[in-house]
Amino acid sequence: VNVTGVPNAGGNAPAGPGEGEGLDLAPFLDGAVMKRVVADAVRQGGWGKLPWAYDGRKNIIVARELPGDMNRAFSCTVPNEAGKPQEFQLVLQLASRPSLADLAQFLGYHQQLKSTEGVPMPPAPELPQDCLMALDMVVKHSATMREDWWVLGKSNNLMFPPQQSDSRSRGLGGGAEVWIGYCQSLRPVQRGLAINIDMSTTAFITPGPLLDLFLQELRLNKQDLQRPFQERQRKQAIKAFKGMKMTATHLKMKPFVCKGFGAPASEYMFEGDNGPLSVAQHFQQKYRKLQFPHLPCVVTGSEKKRRAFPVELCMVIEGQRKSKLSGLQTAGIIKHAAVRPDQRMKTIQDCMAKSKLTTDPLMQPFGLQISSEMMKVTGRVLPTPVVAYSGGATMQPDGGAWNLLKVKLHEPRDLKCWAVVCLLDRQRAEQPRDGPGASLTDFLQEFKIVLNGCGINVSAPAARLYLEHNQPVSDIMRRAYEGIRQTHKTEAPQLIFVVIPEKDSPFYREIKYESDVVLGVPTQCVVARNAAIGCLPKGRDRSQYCHNLTMKVNAKLGGVNNIINAAPDLPFNQHPDAALSWLAANWENAPFMFLGADVTHSVIKAENARSIAAVVGSMNRSATRYATRILVQKSERDLEMISGLKEAVKELLLEFTRNTRGKKPERIVYYRDGVSEGQFDHVLSEELLMIKQACVEMGDPSAEYNPPITIIVVQKRHKTRFFAVNASETDRSGNILAGTVVDQEVTHPFEYDFFLCSHSGIQGTSKPAHYHVLVDENGFLPDVLQLLTYRFCYMYCRATRSTSLPPPVYYAHLAAFRGRMLLIDEDGSSDTASQASSAGNLPGSSVLMSDVHRDIKSKMFYI
């Protein structure tokens, strides 16, 4: 039964739904009001004793037919957001009758596969989404209907019980605080239906006086509020507070949404009863004199019916999520979320107890019985590979990690044509006030020693430049570039080494735009604090930082840091130890390619918001060098598909062929990040087709080129966690061991998927990656594909530890993020670049992206 409702009086009523549809009430009504309306309708209908559940938006599920007509209307009078009685009209329409038999058939299909092995089977049934959604509503109903709980998310999967009263322990600074709750969903797995429940930490706006948030967000004190407000500060306030829900303390009214900030209260004029009047004058006459008349007024309402309120009389209401966080706020969230596995397990059990699902009387009428115990599943720990360096040196990782000391990189590249740019004051960089031993010169000498120790020969930099007062970053970058060209007339610039003051430096984007778009030379940024340039090191070994920089520099120069040691010569797709080594050993006769792809979205919500896609492809025998293509497309947040994939893959295939002297890859493995289960069919029907079309359009049309393709979707945005039963089977952080794979019981009822925790825990609870094999024309056995993926995670060029995702996925993510940086300014506006290209843009799109310089598309400039 769908629920639709519109106010009977007051407000703009939304258009009603069509037959069999529902109208989502969330954009029009407060959640608590919606619950009151539905509860009143249930009472009036006389079916309150029947088992029913509401999703908080537009759907009701009932266990059996309602008495009387299933389609009916109710007039409900309930308290609105301001606590005043208000009449609403609510309409019920019969939408569907979900069948539990369809769900049982879906869940039982894998048993049929086992019992009829070798016998042709009927096509796999589709998941009855309506039935699963209905049962999901049932298990969430009790939490949804509690007015003191906050239930958020598109599927009401985030649940926050009343928070502790002491907000100081939860404060993140800057007007934000962390709420701790849990996320919950009903999922079909091999064992049947399972409740997936996990701890959730989310940032919320701190409720209270808007004036307090003003002081925190704009970094002001109360003396500053007595001075005239600057236009720059007003724009900053709009960026920080636009879209927030507030109330006015001098009126009993519904909450309103901040649409922006207008003129100061002393200057904001409107037509009063006796002529023009400022907001400050109005409040002095009717209420009281404003304390801060220089502050801009909060404006709300439509352009035709604009209303203005003084900041000091506005209160920010509770329960609003904060979407954009500062670096310090993000660190605070991580601190609260990164709890040890034993603590997380206890929190999950506490959340389960708070949900009261095991004793909820609503479960039994819908045929549900929920256990209070976590599921116990069987996992395997894959063997750890041996990491190989230059000269036959090998390292055996311990707990997923190893040390770079006393080994030379597998393929080091010499650093000859480079320059140094320092964005610190020269005196601070070379003569620090904190004492000797922390100058830029000292750091460069130490860094050279580390580079040499890793096998990289280093020449003196062609130039060392310091930022002068009011000098544009673009100017000093171009001077460094020209310095390299003049010193090394016949060789191309390799690298510009840039010292920045801090990690979140405003210079960073400008540096990368200049290097990636204008100059076409990679840059390596060095954070002065981390390198102890201009200050004394704070108990930190600078050698480790130099080694980390060395790995990134070598990758940007086209070198190879490490590979995985060869395994026995066995058929590549039939033995777990053979996949990577077989592919590498047969490179000359049967070269292969690994592809990775990801999409990142704009942080702003606007019609012209853009998404950036990145596709990377391996270019060498060991799958350690990658070329990149970055594509801009119109943002569709619910659709992660990559338009322009065919052209990107075709360009990568052509570049691969040039690198291998005319040989095309004979096998392709495509790791795809960031798509949900509902988009798998789209990947198969569109992206697989685009990759195959790219292969067909390669070279001679008469020569059929159709290499076998394996597509693996990688997911990290899930809530599945694994906890070791025995403490002896954990790493030092208490997490499951690196290499733990689970491919039964909690996986899909019959599709090809597995969970792999390929990394060792550092802080918090390790999250495994969830891999879905959509197509496998290469014929990998499951054990082979799992070990191939796991070994791949020891080849990430920026780390001496195994990673949680395979390198192609990481590189695609980094490249997409770099593309977004080149496209979007800090305030969300598009850039007016000196060089722009529409290559990779959607047809008909007016959005242009600053195209990456052709000289670095084949380099890993985004590392």
Side-chain angles (χ1 to χ4, degrees):
V1 176
N2 278 5
V3 181
T4 64
V6 298
N8 228 5
N12 296 320
E19 186 65 30
E21 299 176 359
L23 180 68
D24 189 353
L25 304 184
F28 306 105
L29 290 179
D30 174 70
V33 177
M34 291 157 56
K35 298 170 191 177
R36 295 169 197 155
V37 171
V38 170
D40 189 64
V42 169
R43 179 189 59 79
Q44 290 185 43
W47 44 279
K49 294 183 179 181
L50 293 178
W52 65 279
Y54 174 49
D55 70 351
R57 290 179 177 267
K58 66 175 183 178
N59 298 297
I60 288 179
I61 178 72
V62 289
R64 51 184 182 269
E65 297 281 334
L66 297 179
D69 188 5
M70 292 286 284
N71 299 311
R72 66 183 80 176
F74 296 92
S75 180
C76 305
T77 302
V78 298
N80 62 18
E81 293 171 87
K84 299 178 180 179
Q86 184 173 347
E87 187 178 3
F88 297 88
Q89 195 76 14
L90 184 141
V91 179
L92 298 183
Q93 295 177 325
L94 177 64
S96 65
R97 291 181 171 85
S99 170
L100 286 176
D102 292 342
L103 183 60
Q105 181 186 8
F106 178 86
L107 295 172
Y109 183 74
H110 77 287
Q111 295 294 342
Q112 292 179 277
L113 291 176
K114 292 180 180 178
S115 61
T116 58
E117 190 171 349
V119 178
M121 283 289 296
E126 290 187 8
L127 174 64
Q129 291 284 359
D130 59 341
C131 187
L132 188 67
M133 182 186 74
L135 294 180
D136 195 46
M137 288 164 51
V138 172
V139 298
K140 294 174 180 174
H141 172 74
S142 294
T144 300
M145 294 302 290
R146 297 179 193 176
E147 289 201 11
D148 60 338
W149 281 42
W150 297 89
V151 182
L152 308 172
K154 286 185 178 180
S155 303
N156 283 359
N157 59 331
L158 293 174
M159 303 180 183
F160 296 93
Q163 300 293 299
Q164 297 176 356
S165 58
D166 183 11
S167 62
R168 288 175 296 178
S169 62
R170 299 183 288 113
L172 298 174
E177 61 185 23
V178 63
W179 285 20
I180 298 176
Y182 66 93
C183 54
Q184 172 190 310
S185 63
L186 191 66
R187 298 188 64 82
V189 297
Q190 283 188 12
R191 200 183 284 186
L193 289 177
I195 297 285
N196 187 196
I197 188 168
D198 188 23
M199 167 184 168
S200 177
T201 51
T202 304
F204 281 77
I205 299 166
T206 304
L210 176 60
L211 188 63
D212 292 348
L213 292 186
F214 240 67
L215 295 173
Q216 294 182 53
E217 191 73 39
L218 276 63
R219 299 181 181 180
L220 302 172
N221 55 48
K222 290 199 173 182
Q223 287 73 29
D224 296 327
L225 302 185
Q226 300 293 350
R227 305 185 185 99
F229 213 66
Q230 303 295 321
E231 177 63 17
R232 171 184 55 82
Q233 294 173 314
R234 191 182 73 87
K235 289 182 177 179
Q236 191 178 350
I238 292 174
K239 183 179 177 182
F241 302 110
K242 186 176 180 180
M244 280 191 192
K245 287 186 177 180
M246 307 175 183
T247 58
T249 57
H250 63 293
L251 294 172
K252 288 187 177 181
M253 58 178 292
K254 293 181 182 180
F256 59 86
V257 176
C258 171
K259 297 291 182 69
F261 290 87
S266 59
E267 300 175 16
Y268 196 111
M269 307 299 294
F270 67 97
E271 196 64 33
D273 294 337
N274 300 315
L277 197 67
S278 72
V279 170
Q281 291 171 333
H282 168 75
F283 274 86
Q284 183 171 1
Q285 293 176 9
K286 192 167 183 179
Y287 300 101
R288 63 174 175 81
K289 184 179 180 180
L290 294 180
Q291 190 176 357
F292 305 107
H294 294 303
L295 289 181
C297 291
V298 178
V299 294
T300 186
S302 64
E303 291 186 10
K304 294 182 178 179
K305 196 176 181 181
R306 189 68 80 189
R307 304 184 73 182
F309 298 96
V311 167
E312 60 191 87
L313 297 181
C314 292
M315 298 285 290
V316 176
I317 65 173
E318 189 181 25
Q320 300 183 75
R321 293 175 70 177
K322 187 170 178 62
S323 57
K324 193 172 182 180
L325 302 178
S326 67
L328 289 176
Q329 290 169 340
T330 301
I333 281 281
I334 293 173
K335 183 179 178 181
H336 282 87
V339 297
R340 287 181 56 87
D342 53 346
Q343 294 175 282
R344 193 179 199 98
M345 188 174 182
K346 183 180 183 303
T347 301
I348 292 172
Q349 291 169 333
D350 291 343
C351 292
M352 189 67 185
K354 288 179 182 178
S355 70
K356 300 180 180 179
L357 289 175
T358 56
T359 58
D360 192 335
L362 187 61
M363 300 299 113
Q364 192 274 332
F366 286 94
L368 296 175
Q369 184 176 356
I370 299 174
S371 170
S372 60
E373 300 294 324
M374 288 188 179
M375 293 174 63
K376 289 187 177 181
V377 299
T378 302
R380 295 173 289 117
V381 180
L382 303 178
T384 302
V386 176
V387 180
Y389 284 92
S390 177
T394 60
M395 301 288 289
Q396 179 63 59
D398 179 19
W402 65 99
N403 203 315
L404 189 60
L405 298 176
K406 299 180 181 179
V407 296
K408 295 185 183 297
L409 301 177
H410 188 265
E411 293 181 24
R413 291 294 175 90
D414 293 344
L415 181 57
K416 297 179 180 179
C417 309
W418 65 300
V420 177
V421 169
C422 183
L423 302 185
L424 303 179
D425 176 77
R426 181 192 292 264
Q427 184 174 359
R428 177 188 164 190
E430 296 299 349
Q431 297 178 347
R433 287 173 293 178
D434 297 289
S439 68
L440 175 57
T441 298
D442 293 332
F443 175 78
L444 290 175
Q445 289 175 349
E446 184 175 343
F447 185 48
K448 181 179 179 181
I449 293 172
V450 173
L451 289 169
N452 291 336
C454 292
I456 298 176
N457 297 317
V458 188
S459 301
R464 188 195 296 190
L465 304 175
Y466 298 86
L467 187 66
E468 298 173 2
H469 184 62
N470 290 332
Q471 182 184 19
V473 171
S474 59
D475 179 57
I476 193 172
M477 290 288 292
R478 295 178 194 190
R479 284 176 54 205
Y481 179 83
E482 290 302 324
I484 301 173
R485 294 297 299 267
Q486 290 174 12
T487 305
H488 304 276
K489 295 184 171 23
T490 60
E491 298 180 81
Q494 291 177 287
L495 186 76
I496 299 178
F497 202 75
V498 186
V499 180
I500 57 177
E502 53 196 15
K503 185 177 180 180
D504 296 325
S505 171
F507 295 132
Y508 187 80
R509 185 194 168 277
E510 213 174 335
I511 293 165
K512 295 304 180 182
Y513 175 81
E514 198 67 26
S515 63
D516 298 349
V517 177
V518 180
L519 301 177
V521 56
T523 51
Q524 179 57 58
C525 288
V526 179
V527 180
R529 173 64 61 179
N530 295 345
I533 297 173
C535 60
L536 286 173
K538 294 189 175 180
R540 178 172 181 163
D541 181 11
R542 194 160 62 177
S543 174
Q544 181 62 52
Y545 185 64
C546 289
H547 278 88
N548 293 341
L549 290 175
T550 297
M551 291 188 288
K552 297 172 73 172
V553 166
N554 193 51
K556 291 177 181 180
L557 296 176
V560 175
N561 293 341
N562 68 273
I563 63 171
I564 297 302
N565 209 19
D569 187 14
L570 298 169
F572 86 96
N573 60 349
Q574 297 177 16
H575 194 281
D577 286 334
L580 273 176
S581 59
W582 187 95
L583 290 170
N586 290 273
W587 169 267
E588 299 298 337
N589 299 320
F592 62 94
M593 174 185 266
F594 287 96
L595 293 171
D598 190 19
V599 178
T600 185
H601 299 292
S602 167
V603 294
I604 60 172
K605 297 179 180 180
E607 286 186 19
N608 63 341
R610 281 85 63 195
S611 295
I612 298 294
V615 186
V616 302
S618 62
M619 294 287 142
N620 65 338
R621 180 196 300 263
S622 56
T624 50
R625 295 193 193 105
Y626 287 80
T628 310
R629 296 298 181 269
I630 300 177
L631 313 168
V632 61
Q633 45 200 329
K634 188 174 180 180
S635 181
E636 296 181 50
R637 287 186 172 271
D638 296 327
L639 190 63
E640 288 267 350
M641 297 306 105
I642 301 175
S643 57
L645 179 64
K646 183 186 77 171
E647 290 302 320
V649 172
K650 183 179 176 181
E651 289 182 19
L652 292 172
L653 288 170
L654 289 169
E655 187 165 340
F656 181 97
T657 305
R658 289 192 294 270
N659 288 346
T660 56
R661 299 179 182 177
K663 290 184 178 180
K664 305 181 184 73
E666 293 196 9
R667 303 181 188 280
I668 295 176
V669 179
Y670 178 51
Y671 285 99
R672 180 67 163 88
D673 189 21
V675 293
S676 63
E677 286 93 336
Q679 296 160 345
F680 287 175
D681 288 341
H682 202 114
V683 172
L684 281 174
S685 62
E686 295 198 17
E687 294 195 7
L688 176 59
L689 178 61
M690 285 191 278
I691 295 174
K692 287 187 172 294
Q693 287 175 341
C695 294
V696 170
E697 294 180 11
M698 281 276 295
D700 184 4
S702 63
E704 184 175 341
Y705 175 57
N706 185 26
I709 298 171
T710 298
I711 295 182
I712 308 166
V713 169
V714 189
Q715 292 179 327
K716 284 285 284 188
R717 294 179 184 176
H718 62 79
K719 294 297 182 180
T720 301
R721 296 290 191 279
F722 296 107
F723 305 95
V725 175
N726 300 318
S728 60
E729 297 175 332
T730 64
D731 60 18
R732 287 188 289 269
S733 65
N735 281 288
I736 56 177
L737 298 172
T740 299
V741 64
V742 176
D743 58 4
Q744 56 185 334
E745 298 184 272
V746 290
T747 52
H748 191 278
F750 51 82
E751 290 179 357
Y752 187 176
D753 68 322
F754 60 92
F755 291 93
L756 171 61
C757 184
S758 54
H759 64 296
S760 184
I762 301 176
Q763 62 174 346
T765 305
S766 298
K767 178 191 284 190
H770 193 185
Y771 296 87
H772 302 260
V773 184
L774 302 190
V775 63
D776 183 22
E777 297 174 351
N778 284 294
F780 289 107
L781 294 176
D783 287 346
V784 174
L785 195 54
Q786 291 166 9
L787 191 63
L788 169 65
T789 300
Y790 177 48
R791 289 187 167 214
F792 224 159
C793 294
Y794 284 79
M795 297 168 63
Y796 183 53
C797 72
R798 284 171 45 159
T800 53
R801 61 186 311 117
S802 58
T803 52
S804 60
L805 297 171
V809 175
Y810 260 125
Y811 297 152
H813 174 77
L814 291 173
F817 193 81
R818 177 63 59 81
R820 194 179 83 180
M821 181 189 297
L822 298 178
L823 180 72
I824 300 171
D825 209 336
E826 289 182 356
D827 62 356
S829 61
S830 55
D831 301 312
T832 54
S834 58
Q835 293 186 14
S837 167
S838 61
N841 294 341
L842 284 176
S845 171
S846 60
V847 177
L848 297 179
M849 174 184 169
S850 303
D851 197 19
V852 173
H853 198 286
R854 64 180 180 274
D855 289 348
I856 61 171
K857 285 185 177 180
S858 300
K859 299 176 182 178
M860 299 170 70
F861 62 92
Y862 45 83
I863 293 300

